[in-house]
Amino acid sequence: MTSTDSAQQPTAEKAPAKDPWDLPDVSGLVVGVLGGTGPQGKGLAYRLARAGQKVIIGSRAAERAQAAADELGHGVEGADNAECARRSDLVIVAVPWDGHGKTLESLREELAGKLVVDCVNPLGFDKQGAYALKPEEGSAAEQAAALLPDSRVTAAFHHLSAVLLQDPEIEEIDTDVMVLGEVRADVEAVQALAGRIPGMRGVFAGRLRNAHQVESLVANLISVNRRYKAHAGLRVTDV
């Protein structure tokens, strides 16, 4: 081929950039909530089930989980943590920080191959209020990734008010959810799940190495809530 022939060859058209708001349909996923009897987990389970998602809440005691599920209604089921993990496609981790590592380590096999969403905020409290803790791995989400090498770990749902989530009189949760992860498809699935809740939107916020500051911001929101007697959330502007 001569240089003239080469010059006349048509150039391949560049594929259009993917629309960041073109998110998958996740309505058929079974969502498990570890720590589903606590305020945050219970609130998330309620909102997702109310939006039509199939939800299973997990607890160390199956009876306690089932009692909470019966209270929530909307088809929510209860199980022990291992059964919850096994039966779910996507698992939200909403356990207390002091039990985070031990719980995940015990469920490594059940969570293998699952999409895991960590929403745990490592916090300490003293007379001056809430303050962020820095896990050895960098963040709760990074600890989860280290303990669950066969799972696909993301981070999201950190900045939600458990009070608002559980209030049946509130139709919409006016907030954005910052979603972090390593694989775009996994992040988009979590964004789409957040968007199932009326008023809520999932926004990509970086890789897991950036999870610490997202988790830490909850300490600031607690201070906001105490000063203004509010249930503050976040909105990301211009996106």
Side-chain angles (χ1 to χ4, degrees):
M1 183 182 290
T2 67
S3 59
T4 302
D5 293 332
S6 177
Q8 293 175 345
Q9 294 298 311
T11 56
E13 291 187 16
K14 189 175 181 181
K18 186 179 185 301
D19 181 354
W21 297 111
D22 181 14
L23 301 174
D25 179 7
V26 296
S27 59
L29 295 182
V30 177
V31 176
V33 184
L34 302 179
T37 59
Q40 192 79 351
K42 198 173 182 180
L44 277 169
Y46 171 68
R47 286 292 159 179
L48 290 169
R50 180 168 158 170
Q53 207 77 32
K54 176 59 185 174
V55 177
I56 304 170
I57 59 176
S59 178
R60 285 176 294 179
E63 297 81 6
R64 186 180 177 201
Q66 189 57 54
D70 292 342
E71 182 183 338
L72 292 176
H74 297 281
V76 176
E77 295 183 35
D80 63 42
N81 282 331
E83 182 71 11
C84 173
R86 275 193 295 267
R87 292 178 55 197
S88 302
D89 303 306
L90 180 153
V91 179
I92 298 172
V93 181
V95 299
W97 167 241
D98 58 6
H100 181 264
K102 186 176 180 181
T103 299
L104 295 184
E105 193 171 19
S106 71
L107 296 172
R108 181 177 296 174
E109 182 178 339
E110 290 84 358
L111 291 171
K114 309 285 185 178
L115 177 52
V116 175
V117 186
D118 201 297
C119 70
V120 176
N121 304 302
L123 297 176
F125 296 86
D126 60 18
K127 291 181 180 180
Q128 297 182 58
Y131 60 95
L133 302 175
K134 186 69 176 285
E136 182 180 346
E137 297 85 355
S139 64
E142 288 170 295
Q143 184 184 87
L147 292 172
L148 304 173
D150 298 319
S151 303
R152 294 136 50 211
V153 176
T154 60
F157 301 117
H158 300 91
H159 305 138
L160 307 180
S161 163
V163 173
L164 298 185
L165 288 174
Q166 294 185 72
D167 188 341
E169 298 301 316
I170 294 176
E171 295 294 329
E172 297 188 359
I173 305 295
D174 182 24
T175 193
D176 284 334
V177 171
M178 302 180 80
V179 184
L180 304 96
E182 301 301 317
V183 179
R184 181 163 183 165
D186 293 339
V187 169
E188 290 180 345
V190 180
Q191 287 181 262
L193 185 67
R196 296 269 291 154
I197 299 174
M200 197 176 289
R201 183 178 65 158
V203 179
F204 172 65
R207 293 178 177 268
L208 287 186
R209 68 180 184 180
N210 292 320
H212 172 65
Q213 56 265 38
V214 174
E215 296 169 1
S216 299
L217 188 58
V218 174
N220 302 92
L221 289 177
I222 290 172
S223 296
V224 170
N225 290 336
R226 287 181 173 175
R227 174 63 61 90
Y228 298 102
K229 303 292 189 290
H231 300 293
L234 295 178
R235 277 294 188 199
V236 180
T237 62
D238 200 32
V239 293

